[in-house]
Amino acid sequence: TISRIVRRWAPETENNVPTYIRNVSRMTGIGATTPLPPMKEETKIVWCDLVLAMATVECGLTAKQKELMAPHIEIAWRLLNP
């Protein structure tokens, strides 16, 4: 779930975790406690959107930065899922 991922990788000592989770959920359209699908080619968009949303929260990306980053996230997907 988004909640579990954020709590694992964005510790409360460094982040406002409830706000982080709420923002990532809003950006992806996925509920905070909704189970995420397996990492497969047909679910690539879910996982790439999740990474982009987390990067946006972490770094405060602008719309232009998100546009520039998206292709690189897809490249990373292909490296992890050959």
Side-chain angles (χ1 to χ4, degrees):
T1 67
I2 289 174
S3 181
R4 287 186 69 192
I5 290 171
V6 170
R7 288 183 190 287
R8 169 67 173 92
W9 297 106
E12 291 194 30
T13 56
E14 300 174 16
N15 299 278
N16 180 335
V17 172
T19 299
Y20 194 127
I21 292 167
R22 190 169 38 257
N23 287 336
V24 170
S25 291
R26 180 181 46 78
M27 287 180 213
T28 60
I30 301 169
T33 59
T34 300
L36 295 167
M39 292 181 77
K40 295 181 179 180
E41 185 61 29
E42 53 271 13
T43 63
K44 174 178 80 170
I45 190 71
V46 172
W47 290 97
C48 289
D49 284 353
L50 177 61
V51 169
L52 190 57
M54 290 182 73
T56 299
V57 171
E58 285 287 332
C59 304
L61 300 178
T62 65
K64 182 63 176 176
Q65 289 169 323
K66 288 182 355 184
E67 179 184 325
L68 293 170
M69 187 176 211
H72 298 284
I73 292 171
E74 291 209 25
I75 291 168
W77 171 269
R78 286 195 299 272
L79 291 172
L80 293 170
N81 299 281

